[in-house]
Amino acid sequence: MEFRVLQYFLAVIREQSISRAAEALHLSQPTLSRQLRDMEEELGKPLFIRSNRKITLTEEGMLLRKRAEEITELVKKAKDEITLSDETIAGDISIGAGETDGVRYLAKSARDLQREYPLVHFHIISGDKATVLEDLDKGLIDFALLFGDIDTSRYECLKLPCNDAFGVLMRQDDPLAVKDVITPEDLRDKPLIVSRQSLCDSNLSALLGCRADKLNIAATYNLVFNGSIMVDEGMGYAISFDRIINTSGSSNLCFKPLSQHVDIKMSLVWKKYPMYTKAAEKFLLKMQEAM
């Protein structure tokens, strides 16, 4: 399968029409249709559901779309890295991270680096631990900001001097809002809103003193901002880290710490034996100096 044909495939998805994609690619419609048919024959699977109105993807087409986007991003990244001159410190640095105030450590080093090298650009990509590690393994990101234990047989890491504290987001008018600290017993029968990641590790059980399947999980979130909206609308209590949602001023919400404390270390992580750009190497040096 040629990279060029993958680009054609993505163009058809963007335009949702073979004719519009052909026009954008400066190809004839029969030529583009033939390229797509050849690709389907090569894979032995239909990729499109064709109709008069628009083109939609089959299940196999959706899988190929994900891989094609990853391949395109990797090719772009490789091209940018190779074409930069040896004298120039420039380019993109991508970092995968969960929602945490610890991103400030990255931002401070990024700011200092950009003051010296203004052609360096940073991209923070939000995601849970599993998603971020998958992107790191595929080379789609350069670094990851992660909590918990790190597999040092596969990754290098730099410990950051911060520990985020778990607590509960709730409405200001909630009866529990008068308490300074929330205990597991306070939440035992309450509707809880938790992160998807917390259901995959043992933190939730440690914090609340029982297995997750014994709790009243009303909803889950990937981004705590969405969880805070559910809290504001009265759906329940969100378990989250402190200093992510602004609860000052006119906010309807407040944050209360949990009585149970779980010590979760934060680390900047990268693959062993990486082939980094000069910009990424400079950023890592800045982080190591800052620590």
Side-chain angles (χ1 to χ4, degrees):
M1 186 187 305
E2 296 182 33
F3 178 65
R4 169 179 53 84
V5 180
L6 283 179
Q7 292 178 301
Y8 293 169
F9 171 72
L10 291 174
V12 171
I13 295 170
R14 285 194 303 271
E15 300 294 337
Q16 295 191 334
S17 162
I18 291 179
S19 60
R20 289 198 298 270
E23 183 178 350
L25 294 167
H26 305 292
L27 296 172
S28 68
Q29 185 172 334
T31 298
L32 180 56
S33 296
R34 186 177 65 254
Q35 295 275 6
L36 296 174
R37 283 197 302 271
D38 290 346
M39 183 167 62
E40 288 178 314
E41 289 177 6
E42 180 183 351
L43 295 171
K45 298 283 186 179
L47 301 173
F48 299 103
I49 301 172
R50 295 166 172 83
S51 68
N52 292 331
R53 292 189 176 183
K54 65 177 183 179
I55 284 182
T56 55
L57 293 174
T58 63
E59 186 174 340
E60 292 79 10
M62 288 186 281
L63 175 60
L64 182 62
R65 174 184 183 172
K66 184 175 186 295
R67 300 306 181 204
E69 288 173 342
E70 291 173 355
I71 291 168
T72 301
E73 180 62 26
L74 283 173
V75 170
K76 178 182 179 299
K77 187 174 180 181
K79 182 178 179 181
D80 291 343
E81 291 171 357
I82 292 169
T83 54
L84 289 172
S85 70
D86 291 338
E87 296 78 20
T88 302
I89 304 297
D92 296 319
I93 298 173
S94 298
I95 306 170
E99 290 180 293
T100 167
D101 192 64
V103 170
R104 291 184 185 275
Y105 287 94
L106 307 183
K108 289 175 182 177
S109 292
R111 174 202 63 201
D112 293 343
L113 187 63
Q114 285 183 324
R115 286 174 177 171
E116 293 181 53
Y117 307 105
L119 295 179
V120 174
H121 306 286
F122 287 85
H123 308 280
I124 302 293
I125 301 164
S126 298
D128 56 27
K129 187 173 183 178
T131 302
V132 168
L133 277 177
E134 182 181 349
D135 286 348
L136 185 63
D137 289 338
K138 291 177 179 176
L140 298 174
I141 58 176
D142 300 301
F143 301 98
L145 184 63
L146 299 175
F147 296 98
D149 296 330
I150 305 300
D151 182 357
T152 54
S153 67
R154 298 179 61 189
Y155 307 105
E156 301 285 355
C157 64
L158 175 67
K159 300 292 184 183
L160 303 190
C162 62
N163 290 312
D164 279 3
F166 278 104
V168 187
L169 271 175
M170 63 183 75
R171 288 173 59 97
Q172 295 270 16
D173 57 6
D174 191 272
L176 291 180
V178 299
K179 300 192 67 171
D180 294 328
V181 175
I182 305 300
T183 67
E185 290 72 25
D186 292 328
L187 301 174
R188 190 69 75 222
D189 299 319
K190 299 293 192 296
L192 302 181
I193 302 166
V194 303
S195 71
R196 292 189 306 170
Q197 181 64 40
S198 67
L199 295 179
C200 301
D201 53 37
S202 59
N203 293 332
L204 195 61
S205 299
L207 286 167
L208 300 181
C210 66
R211 297 202 320 260
D213 60 1
K214 299 296 183 182
L215 299 170
N216 179 11
I217 307 296
T220 64
Y221 63 81
N222 189 30
L223 299 175
V224 72
F225 176 76
N226 295 331
S228 72
I229 291 176
M230 290 189 276
V231 173
D232 197 28
E233 292 299 326
M235 287 182 61
Y237 302 76
I239 309 297
S240 75
F241 286 133
D242 195 5
R243 303 189 304 272
I244 300 177
I245 299 297
N246 185 0
T247 58
S248 63
S250 60
S251 173
N252 291 329
L253 305 181
C254 64
F255 181 90
K256 299 292 179 177
L258 282 164
S259 60
Q260 296 283 93
H261 179 71
V262 176
D263 188 21
I264 303 178
K265 300 298 184 182
M266 188 185 305
S267 304
L268 183 70
V269 179
W270 61 97
K271 290 195 295 185
K272 281 185 176 290
Y273 318 116
M275 293 293 292
Y276 275 151
T277 63
K278 291 186 179 297
E281 289 175 355
K282 291 286 187 183
F283 173 71
L284 185 55
L285 284 173
K286 285 287 183 188
M287 286 294 297
Q288 290 168 333
E289 290 168 5
M291 295 307 102

